[in-house]
Every structure is written in structure tokens, then in C-alpha cells.
Amino acid sequence: MSEKTNAVRRFFRHRQHPLKLIDYTSRNLWLLLIPLSKYLIASRFDFQSWIKTNWVDILAITGIFAIAVLRWAFVRFNIENDGIVAYTGLFGIVKTKVFFSEMTTVSFCQSWYNRLFKAHTIYIETNAQTVTDEDIKLVMSQKNADVLYDFLTTLSDDKPKVSFSPKKSHLMVFSLLFTSILSGIILFATFMFEAYKIVGFETEQQVIQRVNDGITAVDSQFLNISKTIPGAILVVAGIVIAGWFISFIATLSRHWSFTVARTDNQLLVKSGVMIKRRHIINRSMVNYYDITQTLLMKIFKICSVTLDCTGYGKRRREISALIPITTYQQMNASLKLLVPDLPKPKPEVRTSGKDVPRFVFFPVIFCAIPPVAIKVLQYFFADRFADLNSLIVIAAVPLIWLVVVKTAAAFNTSVGFSDKGCVLNYCKGYKFHKLLFPKQNISKMRITRNPIQLINHTCTLWVYTVSEKQTCHKLKYMPYEDVRSLCLREGYVMFE
């Protein structure tokens, strides 16, 4: 009896968590299960008539589950002294071995429903470009995941020496600054779409109607804002506020309880509330460190630090943060402890105030679009002009802010080299980036010039860095002769 018990234990020890069976079934399988359940309830659990009526759907679902069980039984993994081996495919015929020395990031993710079943999803990444999104993806039990994590974190010679954990108040500010209204609206729309598939369009309309009636009642009793603000503006404002709030909560929950520790050659990152994440990052495999700021963050001298390493920040709606948010002074001290060997060269070639017209030329043109749109809409939609006029004014605000940001970008675009490293300062969209990385992580550099740049003696510098996907950093309106001399000095031959 004991031999059989040990054999069963060995079988499950090298298999994924049974929760993986849900992934192996079709994602839309529940669309078949719901109507089948309805038919069963409607027939008052008369299984004989239910099977006669729905035998095709029942047979299809049974086949899907049978294939899922077959895949789960054959997929297995082994932890060896120098790496981890996974046998995947329908009959486990695909063998994949990833050596510990080649791992860039190992991520341990546990969602709220995974915690109910004591399961972890493990993502193992390398710099090898594979067909799938990750080199190895396994769903392990809590015990196996903890064993693997402890084993990987003891590969370094020393235990964690330095750790950093931002203040809770700083995380609140970080979530406010990095909240994306667009992602919140997408989450809201996704939820509504899934609700529509489950309850149907009529039920969804009833829910929306009740919400609208409730809002109207509150407005008429307390606010009466609909009498002074057009209805279209209220609808847009409601969607934006709801999207912002959803995205704010999602961002805050992802980085709550954030801690990062450094060992001899690893960065250990832990974060999350709803989805708990643990990342083991190979420090020697980090491509670059990015000190990110918005214009408001620059004014108040705060910043965040992210890093580019294959696998980290790759999951959906995840930010590859090393330091979520802190003051600039604290960032320098923390970065020196977490990455003591990071080169920090000074900028050598930069743009200046005389380049401001070049930076703001296109944003100023974009600002002219709303006034033109107002005239056009006034001609075609005179009866709805008040509503449309208010919407266009709101749309003009980010365009005006873009002009302000690009004005500041003219004083914050530069490049510099040292014996070991490179620094890039540039603005992309509404964010300012300061990149620090070793020179060996530069895969290509090139200079381009359009006809206007030929006249004003400027150029665009393109710097390509080593990454899982081709990553290019674009520095606009740089002084051509200075950039060319700098590149030639560093050994980057320019063919013109």
C-alpha cells in the first residue's frame, strides 16, 4: 500500500496543478454549459429527456474534458541541478530545458482564485525568441512553487543584502500619476461585454436603465447639474470618472506591498494584493534602467524607475517597476544600493532653448484642429452645437498640455557616454525618460536627417538597445555635427 501511495505522490509531484485543466478546455466552454444547465433546470432534472435533447453538446463537452485530462496527465516537469525540464504537447513529446544561468526572469503569479486552490502560475523567460509568449509556463501547487522559488533564490552566493519598499503614501501618488483612463474604460467595456454574453442584452438594458434612473433621481434632488451642463458632457464625464477609478484601483492593487531586494546577482521583487506576484530577475540580463517622469513629477522632483528585462512587466497590465515612486534624491540613493555597478555617465550633447520651435511645431498645429472642428460642426449640427462645442473644448486641453510638455522637452533631450555606459534623455508622448545602460547593450545606432534638418543642421538619433523585441529610442532635433562626432568617437561608424 505504501509503494502505491508513494507512486501516486511522485506522479502528482511532477504534474501541474489540476486547476490547469480549466486552461486546457476551451475558454468559451462555459457558453455551452450555461444553456445546458438551463435546459436541465427547465426539465426539472429529467436526465433522460435532457440527454436525448442535448446529446450532441454533452458529447462535445465530454470530448473537450477528456482531451484536457489527457494533456494534463502527459505534461510534466523536473527540477534538475542546472535547469528545469518541461515535457509539453498532447503526449508530452515536446521537451524544453531552460538552464538556470540563462533565465532572465522567473515570475510566480497567484490570483485570488488560485489562492483558493493553492496554485501558482509560473512563467520562465530567457532571451531566446520562442514561438510562444514565454519559454515555459506551468501551473504548480503551492508546495512545488515554494520549493522552486527557494531553490532559485539560493543560487546566489549571498542572501539578500539590500531591500527597498516605498511608502504607502508614495504608492498612492504613483497610482494617481500612472492611472490610465483608457485602460479603465477597456476594463469596464470588457466587463459589460462579458455580462452581456451571460445575462443577455435585455437584462443588460434593464440594469443600465435602472442606473440611469437612479442617477437622474439623485441629480434632480441634490445637484440639478443637468440643467446647466449638457447631457453628452455628463455621459462622457461619467465614463471617464468610472474608467479612471477602476484603473486607479487596479494600479494601486498591483503595487501595494511592493518590495525589492538585491542578492549577489538577482533582484527579488514582490507586489500585489488581488494578484500576488514574485519575480526573480537576473541582474546581468537587464537591458536598461529607465527613470520615468511626467512634467508634474519633474516639477515636484519625484520619479519612478522601471527596468527592461525579458519577462518582467510582460503580463497584462503589469508595470516593470524597480522603484515605483520616490523623490529624486531618494531614488539616487536607492539605485546606488540596488544596482551598485550601474554606469551613470553625464550628458554630453543636448538640445537647448533655441530648439523649442522645432519641438512644439506639430503640437501647435494639432491645437488648431479643435477651432476648425467647431466651425465645421456649427455649420452641419447647429441644433447640437452646445454639446459638441463643450466636447471639443475638453479635447483641446490635452493638446495644449502637449505643447507645454514639448517645450520642456527641448531642455531635456541629451545623450552621453562614459567608459562603460550610456545615458539617454528624451521625451516620448507626455513622459520624460532617462535611460542608463552598459554600452554593450547597444545593438545599433543611426542618424537620419530630413530636408528641413539639413537646412537647420539638426538630426534624429536612433539608439537600438538589446531587448526581447526591437526597442528603439528616438532623440529628435539633436545638433548634427556634435552627435556625429560623439558617435564616431565611441566607435559607431556612420555611413552617409
Side-chain angles (χ1 to χ4, degrees), residues 421-439:
C422 176
V423 59
L424 301 176
N425 288 281
Y426 65 95
C427 177
K428 183 178 181 181
Y430 291 88
K431 291 183 180 180
F432 295 87
H433 299 270
K434 180 177 181 180
L435 269 63
L436 299 168
F437 52 89
K439 286 197 293 188

Side-chain angles (χ1 to χ4, degrees), residues 2-18:
S2 60
E3 293 182 0
K4 292 182 178 180
T5 303
N6 292 332
V8 172
R9 288 179 178 177
R10 285 195 299 270
F11 176 83
F12 281 97
R13 188 180 300 124
H14 298 283
R15 295 302 185 283
Q16 298 188 87
H17 194 280

Side-chain angles (χ1 to χ4, degrees), residues 245-436:
F245 181 76
I246 292 172
S247 183
F248 168 74
I249 296 299
T251 304
L252 184 63
S253 64
R254 281 196 302 270
H255 295 91
W256 199 254
S257 303
F258 183 96
T259 59
V260 56
R262 173 179 65 84
T263 66
D264 181 41
N265 195 39
Q266 292 177 337
L267 291 172
L268 310 178
V269 180
K270 297 181 181 180
S271 65
V273 176
M274 295 296 293
I275 300 178
K276 293 187 177 182
R277 295 181 173 92
R278 293 181 292 175
H279 303 277
I280 303 173
I281 302 170
N282 189 339
R283 290 205 304 123
S284 62
M285 298 290 186
V286 176
N287 301 317
Y288 59 80
Y289 296 84
D290 185 0
I291 303 171
T292 307
Q293 295 177 295
T294 62
L295 184 56
L296 291 177
M297 293 172 72
K298 289 184 74 68
I299 294 174
F300 292 102
K301 296 183 179 180
I302 57 177
C303 64
S304 66
V305 181
T306 61
L307 58 86
D308 183 85
C309 185
T310 303
Y312 185 44
K314 189 176 180 179
R315 310 280 81 78
R316 187 175 60 174
R317 296 190 299 273
E318 185 181 356
I319 300 174
S320 56
L322 177 66
I323 303 175
I325 190 167
T326 187
T327 62
Y328 208 85
Q329 182 179 4
Q330 181 64 38
M331 179 275 299
N332 283 322
S334 300
L335 204 59
K336 186 179 296 184
L337 295 174
L338 293 173
V339 197
D341 52 349
L342 179 64
K344 296 181 180 179
K346 295 182 178 180
E348 297 179 88
V349 179
R350 63 175 69 243
T351 55
S352 59
K354 66 180 181 179
D355 298 305
V356 170
R358 303 185 183 103
F359 277 85
V360 302
F361 179 75
F362 287 107
V364 169
I365 292 178
F366 294 150
C367 288
I369 295 177
V372 174
I374 289 176
K375 294 296 182 181
V376 174
L377 293 173
Q378 186 178 10
Y379 180 78
F380 289 100
F381 305 98
D383 55 334
R384 302 292 297 174
F385 177 70
D387 294 352
L388 295 172
N389 189 25
S390 301
L391 290 174
I392 291 174
V393 171
I394 293 175
V397 173
L399 298 177
I400 297 173
W401 183 246
L402 183 62
V403 174
V404 178
V405 171
K406 294 304 179 182
T407 301
F411 300 90
N412 293 274
T413 302
S414 61
V415 58
F417 289 92
S418 65
D419 293 339
K420 295 182 179 180
C422 176
V423 59
L424 301 176
N425 288 281
Y426 65 95
C427 177
K428 183 178 181 181
Y430 291 88
K431 291 183 180 180
F432 295 87
H433 299 270
K434 180 177 181 180
L435 269 63
L436 299 168

Side-chain angles (χ1 to χ4, degrees), residues 20 96 98 105 121-126 128-138 310-311 314-315 468:
K20 185 64 178 178
T96 303
V98 176
T105 305
T121 303
I122 316 298
Y123 303 91
I124 301 176
E125 301 275 2
T126 68
Q129 294 184 353
T130 59
V131 178
T132 57
D133 292 336
E134 51 279 316
D135 293 285
I136 293 179
K137 177 184 176 181
L138 297 170
T310 303
K314 189 176 180 179
R315 310 280 81 78
E468 182 180 14

Side-chain angles (χ1 to χ4, degrees), residues 150-171:
D150 293 339
F151 180 78
L152 292 176
T153 52
T154 54
L155 293 177
S156 295
D157 296 332
D158 302 323
K159 293 183 178 180
K161 303 175 183 177
V162 181
S163 62
F164 169 82
S165 182
K167 297 179 180 178
K168 303 297 185 183
S169 58
H170 287 177
L171 286 175

